């Protein structure tokens, strides 16, 4: 019979809720978010601690990254080697971290987004500051340790970091339902702010910002919203606007080079190549015609992206275009979320410093309590040895007269003299008065004879004096908060002196970038498009010189303005607009560009019915005729639209446009159907409608008959067409009325 004693009956929704909350908290606490005290995520903390345990110090040889990753995974972080190696790589990259914690040897990636080599090829060791400011006091019981995942090892719950690493190196991570994003800061500025907070815990965020000017990104750049930083640091959230740094150089040919020497922090990685593509796209889309060439000359020495401009270009205006249209100006979203007192919290600048300072006091208290206990033990032993040296003859007599170590120790500690042979009665009386402690007795019994040399005794006395001085100092540190604060600040000042560096990022209030498009001198030019759909524009003089060839080779020819637009109407009722500036302007024999490439028009699904300039449309009324004989007149101004593609008219199901013309001197319209019916009537019978209307019926059609030809006549001018095998004079057709059947014309 099956044992059901282990089956737990529970509500499915409750179990799912509990399981998801447990999972979410595991991700938040144990993986994605840093602890505000040491500024490290668990994987970073475990990697550094493992390297410390393996003895991979800054002054020792590099070790294979694979060894470090494997050891960390096997002992402390059972989540896969890629996350550990990625963490190790990032901690070594000086373009991501304000202060790298690991010294990498080999290919650890670069600022342009190339990844690191496989861990079997690279080597690493701790940086000096990591050894001295992150791991130095682990042997002094300054932080709590906990069992690792399989309870075979112990790992620290937090590292005894002496600096506000959460601010110095920043942090980025995505948890469940929350994310952290803290920018890096300047080490020296953060230490100064921490000292200022220790001297006055009521200091305001505004006063702290006298020391911390703002973020200090390893890539440099310029923070442009200085006035918004106070609110960001008070709340722990906000957006920092940052620009790249640009310099101007003049090349040999007199052309101006725009040289980008520093990039915004969010641009690091693949965004550099995207920036280069965005700049190239500005030239291709004709947003600017100032660019001659662009090249990425970046190297190990730093970023250098060179954009060569034309001689007559305005470099300041061009840089403003880059700020507006590319990632040369970007935003860093700040959300200073960290684990504080075991739970995730968004912290302002002052709250971060308070958490770090409180932690420093806690670490210092544990450190000096431990050191004091060690010194007290040393003092006890030293005092015992000094006392022993004063009665060394008696002690030798006790040792020689005792049967074993236990008897000699009992005499030294408790004064028991039974069973010990003494040379004199006086020695026995003196031995009975001895009262050494257990530690002192053990030290005396283990003391070597050379310690009785005069200089050794003198050294022992000096050592005792040093121990007493240490005890006095440690007691003072533990008893007085001011003394402890001074010790902490002295350590901070020493770290700043050795590892501080100048600020890389400038902080200022910059005006919003304003790009002024270069005013183009307006002039009339000729639009040409051949029967294959290749379009171009040429100046009027070139057209006049090649008029005959132009009219023979091109399907569409008309005047337009170089600042205007071309309007392209198709049979499916679409209007596509094309900026004349997007068309190539040049020589008569240039091939041009396919009209599909500069508009949304697709020759695969629609056919061009009418092509003209926006200028021409604005001056005329437009007549629409469809295959189902629907007609209307529309004011051309209605087609002056900003969108690239709009509906030019409304069509009934299965209908399509047969003809569109601008009305000027036309008096009559002639409709021709597929079955040979012709109807001529006055254009004044066609009403004017809006472009969204269907229109009115121009001619009654037989079943399955459709309009296939549309012609126009004037009163005095004879117009004729070739219809089948005869010449048909359109003016000779009987003038009818709109919405009639017309007459059948036989071949």
């Amino acid at each position: 019979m099956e044992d059901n004693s282990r089956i737990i009956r529970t509500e499915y929704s409750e179990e799912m809720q509990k399981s998801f909350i447990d999972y979410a908290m595991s991700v938040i606490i144990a993986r994605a978010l840093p602890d505000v005290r040491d500024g490290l995520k668990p994987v970073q903390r475990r990697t550094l601690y493992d390297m410390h345990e393996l003895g991979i110090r800054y002054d020792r040889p590099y070790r294979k990254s694979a060894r470090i990753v494997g050891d960390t995974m096997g002992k402390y972080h059972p989540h896969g080697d890629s996350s550990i190696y990625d963490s190790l790589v990032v901690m070594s990259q000086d373009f991501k971290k304000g202060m790298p914690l690991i010294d990498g040897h080999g290919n650890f990636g670069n600022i342009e987004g190339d990844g690191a080599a496989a861990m079997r090829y690279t080597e690493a060791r701790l940086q000096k500051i990591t050894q001295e400011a992150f791991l130095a006091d682990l042997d002094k019981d300054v932080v709590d340790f906990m069992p690792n995942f399989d309870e075979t090892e112990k790992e620290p719950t937090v590292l005894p970091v002496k600096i506000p690493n959460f601010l110095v190196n920043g942090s980025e991570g995505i948890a469940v339902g929350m994310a952290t994003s803290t920018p890096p800061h300047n080490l020296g500025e953060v230490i100064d702010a921490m000292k200022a907070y220790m001297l006055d815990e009521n200091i305001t965020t505004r006063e702290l910002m006298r020391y911390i000017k703002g973020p200090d990104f390893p890539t440099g750049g310029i923070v442009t919203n200085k006035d918004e930083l106070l609110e960001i640091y008070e709340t722990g959230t906000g957006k920092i606007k940052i620009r790249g740094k640009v310099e101007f150089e003049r090349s040999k040919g007199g052309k101006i080079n725009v040289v980008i020497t520093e990039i915004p922090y969010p641009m690091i990685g693949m965004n550099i190549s995207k920036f280069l593509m965005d700049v190239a796209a500005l030239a291709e889309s004709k947003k600017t015609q100032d660019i001659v060439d662009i090249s990425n000359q970046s190297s190990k020495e730093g970023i250098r992206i060179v954009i060569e401009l034309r001689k007559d270009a305005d470099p300041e205006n061009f840089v403003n275009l880059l700020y507006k249209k590319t990632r040369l100006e970007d935003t860093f979203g700040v959300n200073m979320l960290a684990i504080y007192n075991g739970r995730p919290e968004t912290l302002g600048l002052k709250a971060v410093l308070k958490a770090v300072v409180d932690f420093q006091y806690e670490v210092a208290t544990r450190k000096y309590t431990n050191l004091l206990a060690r010194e007290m033990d040393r003092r006890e032993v030293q005092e015992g040895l000094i006392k022993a040296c004063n009665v060394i003859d008696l002690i030798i007599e006790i040792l020689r007269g005792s049967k074993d170590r236990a008897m000699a120790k009992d005499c030294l500690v408790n004064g028991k003299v039974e069973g010990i042979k003494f040379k004199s009665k006086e020695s026995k009386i003196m031995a009975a008065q001895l009262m050494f402690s257990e530690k002192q007795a053990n030290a005396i019994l283990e003391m070597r004879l050379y310690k009785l040399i005069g200089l050794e005794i003198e050294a022992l006395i000096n050592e005792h004096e040093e121990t007493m001085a240490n005890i006095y100092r440690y007691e003072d540190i533990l008893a007085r908060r001011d003394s402890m604060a001074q010790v902490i600040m002295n350590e901070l000042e020493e770290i700043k002196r050795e590892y501080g560096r100048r600020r890389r990022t400038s902080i200022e209030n910059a005006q919003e970038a304003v790009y002024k498009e270069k005013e183009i001198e307006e002039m009339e030019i000729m639009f040409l498009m051949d029967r294959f759909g290749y379009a171009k524009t040429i100046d009027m003089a070139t057209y006049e010189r090649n008029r005959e060839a132009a009219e023979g080779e091109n399907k569409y020819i008309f005047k337009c303005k170089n600042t205007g637009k071309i309007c392209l109407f198709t049979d499916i009722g679409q209007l596509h607009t094309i900026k004349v500036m997007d068309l190539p302007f040049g020589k008569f024999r240039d091939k041009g560009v396919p009209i599909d490439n500069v508009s949304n028009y697709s020759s695969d699904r629609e056919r061009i019915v009418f092509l003209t300039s926006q200028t021409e449309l604005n001056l005329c009324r437009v007549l629409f005729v469809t295959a189902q004989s629907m007609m209307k007149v529309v004011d051309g101004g209605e087609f002056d639209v900003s969108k690239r593609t709009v509906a030019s008219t409304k069509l009934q199901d299965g209908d399509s446009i047969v003809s569109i013309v601008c009305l000027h001197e036309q008096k009559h319209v002639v409709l021709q159907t597929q079955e040979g019916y012709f109807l001529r009537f006055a254009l004044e019978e066609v009403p004017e409608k809006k472009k969204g209307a269907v229109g009115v019926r121009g001619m009654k059609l037989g079943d399955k008959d459709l309009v296939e030809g549309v012609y126009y006549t004037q009163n005095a001018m004879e117009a004729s067409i070739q219809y089948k095998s005869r010449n048909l004079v359109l003016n000779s057709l009987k003038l009818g009325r709109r919405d009639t059947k017309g007459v059948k014309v036989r071949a």
Side-chain angles (χ1 to χ4, degrees), residues 499-630:
Y499 302 106
R501 55 163 178 76
R502 65 176 182 82
R503 165 173 279 279
R504 293 169 179 161
T505 301
S506 303
I507 310 291
E508 59 186 56
N509 282 316
Q511 293 182 345
E512 185 177 350
V514 177
Y515 173 66
K516 295 180 181 177
E517 291 195 31
K518 189 177 288 186
E519 293 185 6
I520 300 166
E521 184 182 348
E522 189 175 86
M523 62 178 182
E524 279 196 336
I525 55 177
M526 292 299 292
F527 170 86
L528 308 176
M529 190 175 93
D530 63 21
R531 59 193 179 89
F532 300 107
Y534 282 83
K536 64 190 174 192
T537 57
I538 58 175
D539 61 55
M540 297 298 293
T542 303
Y543 170 70
E544 291 298 335
R545 287 196 305 271
N546 300 275
R547 178 190 287 266
E548 189 176 338
E551 292 176 352
E553 297 171 7
N554 292 284
K555 186 175 181 180
Y556 294 95
I557 303 173
F558 52 80
K559 288 181 184 178
C560 62
K561 290 185 178 177
N562 59 340
T563 56
K565 290 186 287 188
I566 303 298
C567 296
L568 186 155
F569 294 83
T570 70
D571 61 335
I572 62 173
Q574 295 289 303
L575 165 62
H576 303 291
T577 60
I578 306 157
K579 286 184 179 180
V580 175
M581 292 297 295
D582 290 343
L583 297 168
F585 176 78
K587 298 176 182 177
F588 175 69
R589 286 300 169 192
D590 288 347
K591 188 174 184 180
V593 63
I595 203 77
D596 306 49
N597 292 4
V598 289
S599 68
N600 293 333
Y601 167 72
S602 172
S603 56
D604 294 334
R605 57 182 176 83
E606 52 191 334
R607 177 179 58 83
I608 298 173
V609 176
F610 184 52
L611 200 61
T612 190
S613 69
Q614 183 73 64
T615 307
E616 172 69 13
L617 270 183
N618 290 341
L619 298 175
C620 75
R621 297 160 69 237
V622 183
L623 174 67
F624 283 77
V625 183
T626 75
Q628 292 180 5
S629 184
M630 302 308 295

Side-chain angles (χ1 to χ4, degrees), residues 27-46:
V27 172
I28 291 166
I29 303 295
R31 294 200 74 176
L33 301 186
D35 192 305
V36 70
R37 295 171 295 175
D38 62 5
L40 298 171
K41 298 178 188 178
V43 64
Q44 296 170 325
R45 186 180 303 117
R46 287 164 173 168

Side-chain angles (χ1 to χ4, degrees), residues 619-650:
L619 298 175
C620 75
R621 297 160 69 237
V622 183
L623 174 67
F624 283 77
V625 183
T626 75
Q628 292 180 5
S629 184
M630 302 308 295
M631 301 178 69
K632 67 178 177 181
V633 174
V634 181
D635 186 285
E638 285 200 42
F639 303 108
D640 193 350
V641 294
S642 57
K643 292 183 179 179
R644 294 188 70 190
T645 299
V646 295
S648 64
T649 187
K650 186 176 181 180

Side-chain angles (χ1 to χ4, degrees), residues 212-230:
I212 298 179
K213 310 296 182 187
D216 186 23
F217 297 102
T219 54
I222 305 166
V223 170
T224 61
N225 56 335
K226 181 180 179 180
D227 288 346
E228 297 175 19
L229 294 181
L230 177 61

Side-chain angles (χ1 to χ4, degrees), residues 195 197-201 357 361 364-365 368 473-491:
K195 287 164 61 180
Y197 177 82
M198 293 175 71
L199 293 171
D200 178 13
E201 294 188 356
V357 168
Y361 279 124
T365 301
Y368 288 106
R473 178 167 169 264
Y474 297 157
E475 285 177 339
D476 179 64
I477 291 170
L478 292 168
R480 295 174 58 239
R481 191 175 177 88
D482 288 352
S483 297
M484 185 177 287
Q486 192 58 52
V487 168
I488 295 170
M489 287 193 288
N490 288 344
E491 287 186 345

Side-chain angles (χ1 to χ4, degrees), residues 137-343:
D137 295 324
L138 278 172
D139 59 337
K140 297 181 179 67
D141 188 33
V142 290
V143 293
D144 293 332
F145 279 72
M146 63 180 182
N148 68 338
F149 63 91
D150 61 0
E151 299 188 357
T152 58
E153 302 277 347
K154 293 279 188 180
E155 62 174 302
T157 56
V158 64
L159 291 185
V161 180
K162 297 177 181 178
I163 58 173
N165 182 53
F166 179 69
L167 292 173
V168 173
N169 269 329
S171 182
E172 290 186 34
I174 300 173
V176 178
M178 58 185 68
T180 180
S181 180
T182 305
H185 293 78
N186 184 273
L187 174 65
E189 292 180 3
V190 170
I191 286 176
D192 288 342
M194 183 174 169
K195 287 164 61 180
Y197 177 82
M198 293 175 71
L199 293 171
D200 178 13
E201 294 188 356
N202 295 319
I203 192 170
T204 64
T205 304
R206 185 183 294 276
E207 290 169 334
L208 284 171
M209 289 187 66
R210 294 177 188 169
Y211 307 97
I212 298 179
K213 310 296 182 187
D216 186 23
F217 297 102
T219 54
I222 305 166
V223 170
T224 61
N225 56 335
K226 181 180 179 180
D227 288 346
E228 297 175 19
L229 294 181
L230 177 61
E231 185 179 353
I232 291 173
Y233 282 122
E234 281 184 336
T235 61
T237 60
K239 291 183 178 179
I240 293 172
K241 294 178 183 176
I242 181 167
R243 291 176 177 174
K245 189 175 180 182
V246 176
E247 296 175 356
F248 300 127
E249 296 177 359
R250 194 166 287 278
S251 62
K252 292 179 181 178
K255 295 176 181 176
I256 298 171
N257 290 345
V258 171
V259 182
I260 298 162
T261 56
E262 295 176 6
I263 60 173
Y265 187 67
M267 197 197 280
I268 58 177
M270 297 306 294
N271 286 326
I272 292 180
S273 58
K274 185 180 185 306
F275 168 74
L276 297 173
M277 288 190 287
D278 288 345
V279 174
L282 290 176
E284 290 172 7
S285 64
K286 300 201 175 166
K287 285 280 190 299
T288 177
Q289 294 183 335
D290 293 338
I291 300 173
V292 175
D293 190 25
I294 179 171
S295 60
N296 185 3
Q297 301 174 12
S298 304
S299 63
K300 290 182 179 179
E301 280 67 44
I303 292 292
R304 182 177 168 84
I305 298 171
V306 181
I307 304 171
E308 188 179 339
L309 304 183
R310 291 185 336 194
K311 284 184 181 180
D312 60 343
D314 180 353
E316 296 281 356
N317 194 41
F318 176 75
V319 169
N320 283 341
L321 174 67
L322 295 183
Y323 286 149
K324 290 191 74 69
K325 298 294 185 181
T326 72
R327 298 193 70 168
L328 191 60
E329 180 175 283
D330 213 334
T331 301
F332 184 95
V334 177
N335 186 26
M336 293 165 64
L337 182 72
I339 304 300
Y340 180 51
N341 290 334
R343 54 181 290 175

